[in-house]
Amino acid sequence: MCLRVLNNLNEQYPVTGRNMNWFRPINVSLYRFTEGLEKQGLTHKQMHTLALPQSAVFKWRSSYASVVAMMGDDEQGYAAVDGMNDQGLMVNALYDTPATYAPAEPNQNNRNISVLCWPQYILDCFADAKSVAEYARHNTLVILDDLVPEGGNERELVPAHIHLAVSDKTGNSSIIEITNGVLSVYENPKYQVVTNEPDYATQLSILKHWQYLWGQTQPRIDTPVYTVMGGYTPIQSFDNAAFYLSLSDKTEQPEDVLAQTRAFMQKGAIPYQFNPKQSDHATCTRWTNMADHHSKTYYFINPLNMMPVWLDVKHTGQPSAKIQLITVKESKIDNHSELHGNLQKQLIHCQDPFALMTH
């Protein structure tokens, strides 16, 4: 189950990590976009499926450049899963089982947007977690359900029930959940750890229990219990990440914050081929990404490769460029193990999957 950790122990150098856990291999590409791009919230295929006219689809112009991890392909479409913009804003889309959406509004002009590209809109138009939270409290967009385009058999695709975890260069955090199309917002730098379920209010209640046992609250327990249950379920991943984060000292150097955050994410990762229930599709950590909010660098770590890769959000060239990081075709998987280090020179020009269509 997915896990997000905001390591803001050192307020000068916050780093956000995310484990992407999924039940089968995923097509994923890394995109880089410049600012000033015209985009829209639904493709022609999605508009046809929902019987929506072009006028009802939400459209926007990007104010910021971004680096984004996209799931999917040209056949199934694309979903913005994670990304960081040139203001140091990070958006992580995590699966959220209780999420529910409003129906499409064909008579509402410029309002409907797929949840698959909603994270891209946030990256394109907001500079910090506070402004995202303020937007979400007064949201007028109609956010629509969709199927996750992860490269599997299209008949087996699952609904895109997600919530967003947003973090920024100040170390602030916003969590946004969707219930019947209505957004609930949790904003606080202390909201560091997020996982799939239960709802975030319940996650915070569970955290309060653990932090009392760990001696992190006042009045402080006389005999703190420095332990946490193991396991791989969402709440166990939450507990484990919060345990190590709550009881760690801050590090002074940016490179040490990166190393510390990577260790937090490894503690919450699910090993490849871990299969306690002997399932046909066992969930494991398909990748880990980290956002260095200070240097504006986005890191991607495939556990089946030895070397991490990264892109600097600040360096932009072509309006839309990409590189394929994991390719799934039929039963074959290419993890592109030849890639390592800075991917700047490997980017190739491509079509923006969310580009505004003029006809």
Side-chain angles (χ1 to χ4, degrees):
M1 304 302 169
C2 295
L3 171 70
R4 179 271 224 172
V5 178
L6 167 60
N7 180 3
N8 54 8
L9 299 176
N10 186 332
E11 296 178 354
Q12 299 301 312
Y13 299 108
V15 172
T16 298
R18 183 262 176 81
N19 288 341
M20 176 63 189
N21 302 335
W22 202 251
F23 60 95
R24 58 186 168 210
I26 308 168
N27 271 308
V28 60
S29 302
L30 204 55
Y31 281 76
R32 189 162 66 192
F33 303 113
T34 61
E35 72 280 2
L37 300 182
E38 303 285 347
K39 298 175 184 274
Q40 67 180 48
L42 291 166
T43 65
H44 273 155
K45 180 179 178 181
Q46 292 165 327
M47 290 164 53
H48 177 75
T49 301
L50 295 168
L52 285 175
Q54 178 80 21
S55 60
V57 178
F58 180 64
K59 305 166 188 69
W60 71 94
R61 180 183 177 89
S62 63
S63 298
Y64 308 111
S66 61
V67 169
V68 186
M70 294 270 195
M71 288 169 53
D73 53 32
D74 291 340
E75 181 180 353
Q76 291 183 356
Y78 291 89
V81 183
D82 288 287
M84 180 168 59
N85 69 20
D86 60 15
Q87 302 300 298
L89 180 74
M90 179 69 169
V91 176
N92 303 102
L94 286 73
Y95 202 78
D96 183 31
T97 305
T100 50
Y101 302 87
E105 292 283 357
N107 299 319
Q108 295 281 349
N109 286 339
N110 203 37
R111 292 278 293 278
N112 295 269
I113 183 172
S114 167
V115 72
L116 300 180
C117 65
W118 183 45
Q120 184 67 57
Y121 164 66
I122 301 296
L123 287 168
D124 287 344
C125 298
F126 298 92
D128 54 53
K130 181 173 288 294
S131 62
V132 174
E134 186 63 20
Y135 141 73
R137 294 187 184 104
H138 303 91
N139 172 63
T140 59
L141 296 179
V142 181
I143 302 169
L144 304 177
D145 196 4
D146 216 324
L147 297 177
V148 180
E150 36 81 285
N153 188 318
E154 192 155 2
R155 293 178 306 233
E156 300 173 357
L157 298 187
V158 297
H161 291 175
I162 69 168
H163 56 175
L164 296 188
V166 180
S167 48
D168 64 27
K169 63 184 179 183
T170 71
N172 196 15
S173 172
S174 295
I175 315 302
I176 305 173
E177 296 179 330
I178 309 175
T179 305
N180 295 326
V182 178
L183 305 186
S184 299
V185 184
Y186 304 83
E187 182 204 349
N188 197 304
K190 295 181 180 179
Y191 298 161
Q192 300 154 298
V193 182
V194 188
T195 188
N196 302 100
E197 55 186 37
D199 62 89
Y200 201 62
T202 303
Q203 291 184 41
L204 293 176
S205 296
I206 294 170
L207 178 62
K208 186 175 181 180
H209 162 77
W210 280 113
Q211 288 185 329
Y212 172 75
L213 293 180
W214 300 333
Q216 301 296 298
T217 59
Q218 295 294 334
R220 191 174 188 268
I221 188 173
D222 292 333
T223 55
V225 180
Y226 298 119
T227 186
V228 67
M229 293 177 63
Y232 68 99
T233 65
I235 195 58
Q236 289 170 322
S237 294
F238 181 95
D239 296 343
N240 272 286
F243 175 72
Y244 285 98
L245 183 64
S246 298
L247 300 178
S248 292
D249 295 329
K250 76 173 185 179
T251 59
E252 297 298 334
Q253 301 302 318
E255 60 269 24
D256 295 334
V257 181
L258 276 172
Q260 184 184 52
T261 307
R262 185 172 181 179
F264 291 151
M265 305 318 298
Q266 288 173 328
K267 291 298 298 183
I270 302 176
Y272 183 63
Q273 295 292 66
F274 178 71
N275 195 3
K277 298 181 180 180
Q278 296 300 295
S279 171
D280 291 337
H281 298 294
T283 294
C284 70
T285 299
R286 301 294 173 180
W287 71 75
T288 297
N289 58 54
M290 297 195 302
D292 183 334
H293 299 272
H294 179 71
S295 70
K296 313 295 194 302
T297 306
Y298 178 98
Y299 295 87
F300 186 98
I301 304 165
N302 182 339
L304 297 181
N305 292 344
M306 292 300 293
M307 296 293 291
V309 296
W310 60 84
L311 275 176
D312 187 334
V313 181
K314 293 181 291 185
H315 293 166
T316 58
Q318 298 161 317
S320 178
K322 67 178 283 190
I323 184 168
Q324 191 83 14
L325 299 182
I326 303 175
T327 302
V328 181
K329 191 171 184 179
E330 298 176 351
S331 60
K332 296 181 179 180
I333 305 166
D334 184 354
N335 286 290
H336 297 280
S337 59
E338 75 280 1
L339 299 175
H340 58 86
N342 194 328
L343 298 177
Q344 165 67 22
K345 295 182 179 179
Q346 278 87 2
L347 291 172
I348 59 173
H349 174 70
C350 69
Q351 176 71 26
D352 180 353
F354 303 142
L356 177 67
M357 292 174 285
T358 58
H359 61 278

